[in-house]
Amino acid sequence: MSVKKEDFKLLSETRFAPKAIERGYAMRTMHVDVGTAKATEKPVSEDMKKRFTGGKGFGLKLLWDAVKPTTKWNDPENEIVIGMGPICGNTNYPGSGKSLVVSISPLTGIPIDSNVGGYFGPYFKFGGWDALELQGKAAKDVVLFFDSNEGTVQIFEAPAGLGVDTHVLAEELTVAFAANEAERQNVSVVSAGSAAEHSFIGLLNFSLWDKRRGGVRVKQAGRGGIGTVLRDKRIKALVVRYKGVVQDSNKAADPALVQRTGLKLHREIIKNDDKQCKMRRQGTAHLMEVMNDYDLLPTNNHKYGRHEKGNELASWVWEKYFTQGLPDGCWFGCTMACAHAVDGFELKTGPYKGHKVCVDGPEYETAAGCGSNLGVFDPEGVLEINFYCDTYGVDTISFGTITSFLMECQELGVLNRERTDGIDLSWGNWKGACEVLHSMSRGERFGSLAGKGVKFLSEYFAKEYGADPALMKDIALHGKGLEQSEYISKESLAQQGGYYMTNKGPQHDEAWLIFMDMVNNRIPTFENKAEALHYFPMFRTWFGLQGLCKLPWNDVEPADNAKHPEPNKVPEHVQNYCDMYTAITGEKLDPPGLIRQSERVYNFQRAFNVRMGKGRREDDWPPYRAMGPVLEDEYLAREERYDKQMKEKIGVDPAGKSVAERMRITREYRTKQYESLLDAVFRRRGWTMDGCPRPEHLKDIGMDLPEVLEVVNARIAGRA
Amino acid sequence: MIKYLKTDDSKCVGCMTCASVCSRLYFKQDNPARSAIQVLDRGNNEFHLIACDQECRKCVAECPVQAIRVTAAGVVMIDKKLCVGCLACVAVCPIGAMRYYPGDSTTFKCVACGACAKECPKQALEIVKKEEGAAS
């Protein structure tokens, strides 16, 4: 249906005094209670800026203040906080349009953070805000409209008949709230979808109006179920309007340095990308064949790392599907432009069957998680799953890892048609995967069950269907309740740490060390690995404090990068980031200072986990599928590697030993290795051996806030 | 048809009249850094003139806000009201004809107005027309 702004019943309107951004900050945040339909502003103190920097730092600080240790994801006091960061919204440095969203996750019960593109964050920021808090629960579905030019916030009751699924809803709202057709690019929508309402894996779609395509595109804050929280609050969508983005919307201290630094990277991308990662043509999907070649492509629930049909999902296949020749940035000025799309894709299943749609992606995680990991090698099957995940508002990573778990459970005889409500979950059956999605969208039994995540399912199948609890635990790929993203970690100890010694759960955005560790053997000792598991998570946390994307850091490199002693850090780009921070905020920053900014927020987040009753050593433990071979055929698929390792590293001769015996020896060894790594990493991070930040470390890094010290002291004293 | 500024390096003597005319016309100051026509001194009294050929249109394709368009006369123009100053157009320009001045919010380029050609004492510049797709 076509809706007009007049169709929306106004519940409340708040007008704020205008406030210009100065040197990247507005020095205030907005709080909206959707339960009472009230919007208020909170000042940002110099102390808050110094300790939390911005973006995710501000988000976590506001979330901490909003919740109690007992708060559950669906309690009204839980919040969704969208933080932007001082560098967010500049148009010169590629990858500067990100927002960081935090909330207490329905999957993990601890803070989740998710990094997302699209225009919402910058447009909201330029209304004079550093972050947006959404709290409370509305009685009926509401739409929040932020007019960043007028300084108003309007809360509307959603009119009957307004779309639910994002590809319908975001377009309807963009059209309704844009001043006119020519100004649709000035509107951005945040929405979820029908499956977000019936699962714990709901996501937020952040839209951008693609002028050339004449339609809405979406980027996802995918991880951890924030879309589920949005719908639980009965927020149908957030809409922002802002006209007037210019080169210096951040009122930088040194706009010319912003330009110079940005232009340097633009030129590097234009020159090198075709020879390096081909992000401009293929996006992250360029990784598919690389992962398959290195035995790292998740296949059949991460059982294997390679498939003979792997190349049927290779980058060159996707390149043919992607509509080429369009600048596919998710924010203005991103010449990396990796947000590719498939236009005119005709759907073959579900309520939109026969419709020709624009599919955003697939990106690598989706192609791997909803492709090879499900044994699906039909690109059109992957596109169908990708589209429905997006429009129904669920995370393709969690959905992929859940569905691969379900398929393996069918293979193992734990599931049958009766238990799946008739859905065939054989490997490779992408239509079965879509049926799970449609069932989730309709709120039916099996889809809703699947949507609770693999942690829940593994326990449920053991309890209800008599499955072996130990096996269920081994093959349910999650950490802290969050599904693992799509790289095979079992042959890289450092990557096991990179995934499972994370604050929010196993997502690759903290550390991706597989090549450094497994392929190039640059970090052989526990201390080397621990150093990497300190440096990279801290470094990468920084993107989220600033409103930046990680990809332009190392998905393009200066031509001479390899000559540096630490090429994995991409030192020239690290300096670019320091320069950008200084250019915008006017404050000096060097690489150690950058790490220190992150350490404060990283340790605060860990302490937040502790406060919520988690953040223990046991919470950083992976399922065994992420560490080694669970099943005999899995061992046999890499028998040569495992036997060699047994002989050379464990010092045991595998000759004459049964597969079961060799698996036991391997498992024992790998388990001990992981224990040793935990010790080394906790030591390096300044934590106790139970994974709690030490008070003296918090003091060293400037995060010894009384409320944080109270939490860690209680844990260390055994009181919490 | 495409209207563009045709340059002839062999006639240029590096007097900078063109740069002066251009920057005074569009920026009200005599400053070669703000001229859309650039004169590169190659030494030995050899000079290279740089101005947009109006033909490759890589900037048009790259602009994220469609602020760069081709006019009916075949000239590539920047709509400064739409420009977000990202400098992607500067990076993709293969000949360095798309320019920006440090701290200014938008980019600038030759729009084939012909003011410089009229003043060039050596007739090194002229406004001509060419067919779409023809070699410049």
Side-chain angles (χ1 to χ4, degrees):
Chain A
M1 83 179 243
S2 143
V3 284
K4 294 188 185 69
K5 205 182 158 203
E6 300 77 65
D7 299 334
F8 291 74
K9 184 181 154 198
L10 185 67
L11 301 176
S12 78
E13 176 170 319
T14 314
R15 183 172 292 275
F16 292 97
K19 197 157 194 270
I21 302 288
E22 284 293 334
R23 299 189 168 196
Y25 288 94
M27 298 305 281
R28 69 173 178 179
T29 61
M30 187 194 289
H31 177 275
V32 179
D33 184 330
V34 293
T36 58
K38 276 198 179 125
T40 49
E41 70 174 82
K42 293 180 183 175
V44 170
S45 67
E46 282 298 329
D47 186 68
M48 176 169 162
K49 184 174 136 183
K50 191 175 139 247
R51 289 187 205 269
F52 294 93
T53 305
K56 174 165 117 174
F58 282 10
L60 288 168
K61 148 85 179 141
L62 294 166
L63 184 64
W64 175 296
D65 292 346
V67 301
K68 303 187 287 270
T70 52
T71 298
K72 301 283 175 257
W73 71 273
N74 55 354
D75 285 333
E77 72 263 24
N78 186 23
E79 291 192 335
I80 295 169
V81 193
I82 305 173
M84 278 65 77
I87 296 180
C88 173
N90 92 78
T91 59
N92 290 123
Y93 202 81
S96 294
K98 294 285 194 153
S99 311
L100 257 290
V101 194
V102 301
S103 188
I104 300 295
S105 161
L107 288 167
T108 65
I110 54 174
I112 185 74
D113 58 271
S114 203
N115 175 318
V116 59
Y119 299 165
F120 186 89
Y123 285 179
F124 183 81
K125 176 179 175 178
F126 296 144
W129 306 98
D130 294 319
L132 168 65
E133 286 175 88
L134 302 165
Q135 200 175 31
K137 281 194 199 193
K140 291 180 176 174
D141 277 352
V142 291
V143 172
L144 278 58
F145 176 55
F146 307 92
D147 191 320
S148 282
N149 294 111
E150 296 294 324
T152 53
V153 181
Q154 293 172 316
I155 302 181
F156 295 102
E157 190 178 313
L162 186 67
V164 179
D165 294 328
T166 279
H167 80 289
V168 178
L169 176 62
E171 186 124 357
E172 284 178 343
L173 291 172
T174 302
V175 170
F177 284 86
N180 55 56
E181 199 176 330
E183 293 193 12
R184 287 177 186 167
Q185 198 168 37
N186 301 331
V187 172
S188 176
V189 176
V190 177
S191 58
S194 52
E197 296 172 13
H198 309 296
S199 72
F200 287 172
I201 59 171
L203 58 68
L204 301 181
N205 285 303
F206 279 51
S207 82
L208 52 123
W209 181 264
D210 188 323
K211 254 185 160 178
R212 287 178 172 84
R213 288 182 170 91
V216 159
R217 305 277 315 278
V218 282
K219 301 303 293 174
Q220 292 76 30
R223 308 289 353 243
I226 308 176
T228 305
V229 181
L230 187 88
R231 293 303 294 128
D232 182 64
K233 294 188 175 304
R234 310 261 339 233
I235 300 173
K236 193 115 184 208
L238 314 175
V239 184
V240 69
R241 182 165 70 192
Y242 181 66
K243 184 180 179 182
V245 175
V246 290
Q247 187 271 330
D248 196 22
S249 289
N250 274 310
K251 291 288 177 293
D254 186 350
L257 181 57
V258 174
Q259 288 174 316
R260 211 159 56 238
T261 313
L263 183 57
K264 187 172 77 152
L265 190 64
H266 283 319
R267 286 186 164 137
E268 193 179 305
I269 290 170
I270 300 297
K271 196 170 167 206
N272 298 349
D273 180 60
D274 239 10
K275 289 173 258 173
Q276 296 180 4
C277 295
K278 302 182 177 65
M279 298 292 278
R280 281 167 64 85
R281 286 199 278 127
Q282 301 171 346
T284 55
H286 78 269
L287 287 166
M288 291 299 287
E289 61 271 19
V290 180
M291 294 302 133
N292 196 45
D293 289 349
Y294 280 96
D295 205 5
L296 291 168
L297 184 70
T299 304
N300 295 17
N301 198 28
H302 290 241
K303 196 169 174 182
Y304 312 116
R306 182 179 287 154
H307 196 282
E308 58 184 17
K309 289 185 175 177
N311 282 350
E312 291 179 25
L313 299 180
S315 63
W316 51 87
V317 175
W318 297 115
E319 197 177 327
K320 282 186 199 144
Y321 278 98
F322 292 143
T323 313
Q324 294 288 317
L326 297 166
D328 279 321
C330 71
W331 174 241
F332 306 140
C334 186
T335 35
M336 185 154 262
C338 69
H340 299 303
V342 177
D343 288 295
F345 180 74
E346 188 172 338
L347 295 165
K348 299 176 186 73
T349 72
Y352 306 108
K353 184 178 174 180
H355 291 212
K356 287 195 173 171
V357 295
C358 172
V359 186
D360 276 276
E363 298 192 36
Y364 166 76
E365 294 291 328
T366 305
C370 300
S372 56
N373 203 30
L374 306 184
V376 171
F377 294 95
D378 177 349
E380 304 216 347
V382 175
L383 287 169
E384 184 101 0
I385 299 172
N386 187 352
F387 176 80
Y388 273 113
C389 279
D390 287 353
T391 200
Y392 286 161
V394 295
D395 173 22
T396 55
I397 297 177
S398 277
F399 180 76
T401 300
I402 289 168
T403 308
S404 66
F405 172 77
L406 295 174
M407 286 180 166
E408 188 166 8
C409 283
Q410 177 173 308
E411 183 182 55
L412 293 167
V414 172
L415 288 178
N416 52 40
R417 296 296 160 81
E418 198 184 317
R419 289 171 178 171
T420 63
D421 296 348
I423 302 173
D424 173 15
L425 288 168
S426 304
W427 294 119
N429 184 19
W430 63 263
K431 286 188 177 166
C434 286
E435 277 310 307
V436 177
L437 270 175
H438 301 320
S439 168
M440 203 182 288
S441 155
R442 294 188 295 260
E444 292 166 359
R445 188 200 72 98
F446 188 70
S448 304
L449 192 68
K452 289 200 163 65
V454 293
K455 179 174 188 284
F456 172 87
L457 292 169
S458 61
E459 290 159 9
Y460 184 88
F461 291 169
K463 189 162 162 261
E464 299 294 325
Y465 301 154
D468 174 1
L471 178 60
M472 289 292 98
K473 203 174 170 193
D474 279 350
I475 64 168
L477 274 160
H478 76 89
K480 306 171 175 70
L482 183 73
E483 284 74 24
Q484 184 183 317
S485 71
E486 308 303 343
Y487 297 97
I488 293 286
S489 59
K490 66 182 113 176
E491 313 309 345
S492 163
L493 179 62
Q495 187 54 31
Q496 291 159 31
Y499 265 140
Y500 288 87
M501 297 174 199
T502 44
N503 274 327
K504 64 171 169 276
Q507 166 75 353
H508 51 282
D509 66 342
E510 277 201 14
W512 198 89
L513 304 172
I514 299 181
F515 275 18
M516 262 180 100
D517 186 36
M518 184 187 112
V519 180
N520 300 323
N521 200 26
R522 279 178 177 270
I523 43 176
T525 68
F526 288 115
E527 283 64 35
N528 297 150
K529 291 186 207 308
E531 184 56 36
L533 284 166
H534 176 258
Y535 178 81
F536 288 102
M538 297 310 145
F539 176 68
R540 294 168 70 137
T541 290
W542 196 78
F543 297 122
L545 308 184
Q546 303 295 339
L548 288 167
C549 175
K550 167 262 160 192
L551 298 176
W553 161 54
N554 70 347
D555 279 84
V556 66
E557 290 175 353
D560 65 351
N561 187 56
K563 78 170 192 202
H564 290 281
E566 295 185 291
N568 295 84
K569 292 184 177 177
V570 198
E572 187 178 320
H573 288 182
V574 176
Q575 190 55 49
N576 286 353
Y577 290 118
C578 291
D579 291 346
M580 279 299 293
Y581 180 83
T582 300
I584 288 179
T585 67
E587 289 169 31
K588 287 258 175 288
L589 190 73
D590 56 11
L594 181 159
I595 296 297
R596 182 49 51 89
Q597 286 186 335
S598 291
E599 273 185 295
R600 292 190 189 111
V601 175
Y602 195 89
N603 280 273
F604 181 79
Q605 189 169 355
R606 184 74 180 191
F608 205 154
N609 287 354
V610 172
R611 182 180 180 229
M612 303 309 282
K614 303 282 174 60
R616 293 185 185 276
R617 188 181 181 98
E618 68 196 31
D619 295 313
D620 287 353
W621 200 264
Y624 190 62
R625 175 59 61 76
M627 302 170 80
V630 173
L631 299 167
E632 290 205 358
D633 53 344
E634 196 174 345
Y635 187 97
L636 292 171
R638 294 176 180 180
E639 186 178 20
E640 203 179 323
R641 171 197 281 269
Y642 295 139
D643 283 355
K644 186 165 176 256
Q645 200 172 59
M646 195 173 296
K647 206 166 187 176
E648 292 172 3
K649 290 199 171 164
I650 311 177
V652 174
D653 187 354
K657 291 193 167 54
S658 69
V659 177
E661 178 66 1
R662 283 181 280 161
M663 283 171 67
R664 189 191 59 74
I665 294 165
T666 299
R667 184 164 186 155
E668 200 174 291
Y669 172 75
R670 291 188 173 206
T671 303
K672 277 188 196 150
Q673 294 275 104
Y674 192 82
E675 290 280 16
S676 301
L677 184 65
L678 269 175
D679 289 345
V681 171
F682 285 178
R683 204 174 295 121
R684 177 63 187 88
R685 288 184 183 171
W687 298 352
T688 68
M689 287 301 108
D690 191 36
C692 182
R694 292 179 188 277
E696 51 276 24
H697 180 63
L698 293 173
K699 186 157 188 278
D700 286 347
I701 62 174
M703 202 32 98
D704 51 337
L705 296 164
E707 63 271 31
V708 179
L709 290 175
E710 191 187 324
V711 164
V712 300
N713 283 329
R715 168 63 58 86
I716 291 166
R719 296 196 305 273
Chain B
M1 294 296 278
I2 296 171
K3 186 170 87 157
Y4 78 111
L5 180 71
K6 192 174 177 189
T7 58
D8 185 345
D9 288 354
S10 68
K11 292 180 180 169
C12 180
V13 294
C15 69
M16 301 301 284
T17 303
C18 55
S20 177
V21 167
C22 183
S23 60
R24 277 190 285 118
L25 181 60
Y26 292 100
F27 288 94
K28 314 291 174 219
Q29 58 175 255
D30 191 346
N31 182 354
R34 284 190 144 139
S35 166
I37 167 94
Q38 298 167 73
V39 185
L40 257 59
D41 188 344
R42 288 180 159 166
N44 299 324
N45 284 324
E46 285 181 14
F47 300 92
H48 176 49
L49 296 160
I50 300 173
C52 175
D53 66 7
Q54 315 292 345
E55 195 172 0
C56 85
R57 298 175 185 174
K58 285 192 174 168
C59 56
V60 179
E62 191 72 27
C63 178
V65 290
Q66 289 190 304
I68 311 178
R69 291 169 182 274
V70 184
T71 66
V75 175
V76 174
M77 297 266 269
I78 303 164
D79 181 340
K80 305 219 176 218
K81 288 200 296 293
L82 289 178
C83 175
V84 293
C86 69
L87 307 185
C89 53
V90 177
V92 295
C93 180
I95 58 166
M98 183 64 82
R99 309 204 73 194
Y100 82 103
Y101 189 80
D104 280 5
S105 58
T106 58
T107 52
F108 63 95
K109 66 180 289 298
C110 173
V111 293
C113 74
C116 57
K118 278 188 202 143
E119 303 283 333
C120 177
K122 297 289 176 186
Q123 289 79 46
L125 300 164
E126 66 175 315
I127 295 293
V128 294
K129 288 183 178 173
K130 60 186 168 186
E131 294 289 337
E132 295 267 349
S136 56

